[in-house]
Amino acid sequence: MAIGDISKQPIKYIVNTHYHGDHTGSNAYFAEAKGSTIFAHDNVRKRLADKEDHTHAELPVVTYQQGMTFHFNGDTINVMYMPAGHTDSDSVVWFEEANVLHPGDLFFEGRFPYIDLDGGGTVTGYINNVTKLIGMLKDDTKIIPGHGKLATKADYQKALDMLVDTTAMVKSMKAEGISLDDAVEQGLGEKYTAWAWNFITEEKWISTLYKGL
Ligand SMILES: [Zn+2]
């Protein structure tokens, strides 16, 4: 367990930033083996409980609608629910004194993001949330993305610029009556080649924007 290299203290609290398995898959382990209490937005619990094969232990025990504040380790840690963006269960974790933001999957560093349209995510909400978060940051805030390496406000701004620009491109293709297949064929240009990765290819990103707008 990677956290064991950072601290040997008990893991009292776990916050799920949303319901996806790569962010909740160890809930049962922490609850059962470590006695951790799991916190999350109401919709995380709902969506996990909706899975046919869910176990009781993996469900968050404390849920909230808007967010909560932990006063812990000498820091003030604000957990804030964000309106439907990556999913409809997204929270971000803002460590005030440490000046660190963990936006969960509202940040894929240097890559096209996954927007889970079937899990309540929305393209517009994702962009609005990122815009709002960047507005809260200081120039030297450290950002721990949901995927990708430790980042800065400037990196987050780059991701927002890409979101806004590619969204406008696909929106105008749609407005011109271009089909999804033709939009994929046309592509987003060389500028964004490096943002594609094995999970969210350029095709998948265009299709998310096309369907989500
Ligand atoms: Zn996710």
Side-chain angles (χ1 to χ4, degrees):
M1 199 169 47
I3 200 163
D5 297 336
I6 299 169
S7 172
K8 301 293 177 211
Q9 297 293 316
I11 300 161
K12 289 187 186 166
Y13 311 124
I14 300 274
V15 175
N16 293 150
T17 54
H18 59 290
Y19 81 95
H20 287 156
D22 56 330
H23 298 258
T24 56
S26 297
N27 277 3
Y29 168 78
F30 283 112
E32 287 173 340
K34 298 287 170 184
S36 313
T37 304
I38 297 166
F39 294 74
H41 183 263
D42 296 339
N43 291 346
V44 172
R45 188 180 161 97
K46 273 187 207 148
R47 287 194 176 275
L48 290 179
D50 278 350
K51 291 189 307 173
E52 259 170 38
D53 60 345
H54 79 271
T55 63
H56 185 71
E58 73 179 290
L59 300 180
V61 170
V62 182
T63 65
Y64 49 80
Q65 282 190 346
Q66 296 302 327
M68 54 200 315
T69 303
F70 292 86
H71 302 274
F72 191 61
N73 287 347
D75 209 330
T76 309
I77 303 158
N78 290 306
V79 177
M80 294 172 278
Y81 174 65
M82 304 299 285
H86 173 64
T87 69
D88 62 1
S89 65
D90 305 337
S91 294
V92 303
V93 186
W94 169 240
F95 300 80
E96 266 184 41
E97 279 82 0
N99 191 23
V100 172
L101 176 74
H102 174 43
D105 281 1
L106 287 168
F107 192 13
F108 286 70
E109 198 277 323
R111 313 168 188 185
F112 293 135
Y114 174 44
I115 298 182
D116 182 358
L117 300 175
D118 295 326
T122 75
V123 172
T124 313
Y126 197 105
I127 292 175
N128 289 345
N129 290 344
V130 174
T131 305
K132 185 177 161 193
L133 288 170
I134 289 176
M136 288 171 37
L137 300 178
K138 299 177 186 136
D139 288 337
D140 61 349
T141 302
K142 291 187 173 68
I143 311 175
I144 305 168
H147 297 267
K149 62 179 188 348
L150 188 68
T152 62
K153 181 178 178 178
D155 297 323
Y156 210 7
Q157 183 64 50
K158 255 186 236 163
L160 177 60
D161 293 345
M162 177 281 295
L163 290 169
V164 170
D165 194 26
T166 56
T167 298
M169 286 162 83
V170 173
K171 212 175 201 167
S172 77
M173 289 193 237
K174 246 183 118 169
E176 286 168 37
I178 294 174
S179 71
L180 174 56
D181 284 350
D182 289 346
V184 168
E185 183 68 30
Q186 204 167 310
L188 300 168
E190 226 167 86
K191 191 177 172 190
Y192 296 113
T193 311
W195 292 77
W197 52 300
N198 54 357
F199 183 41
I200 308 296
T201 57
E202 185 188 64
E203 176 177 357
K204 168 106 186 184
W205 180 233
I206 292 172
S207 135
T208 298
L209 292 173
Y210 198 95
K211 289 175 189 157
L213 289 169

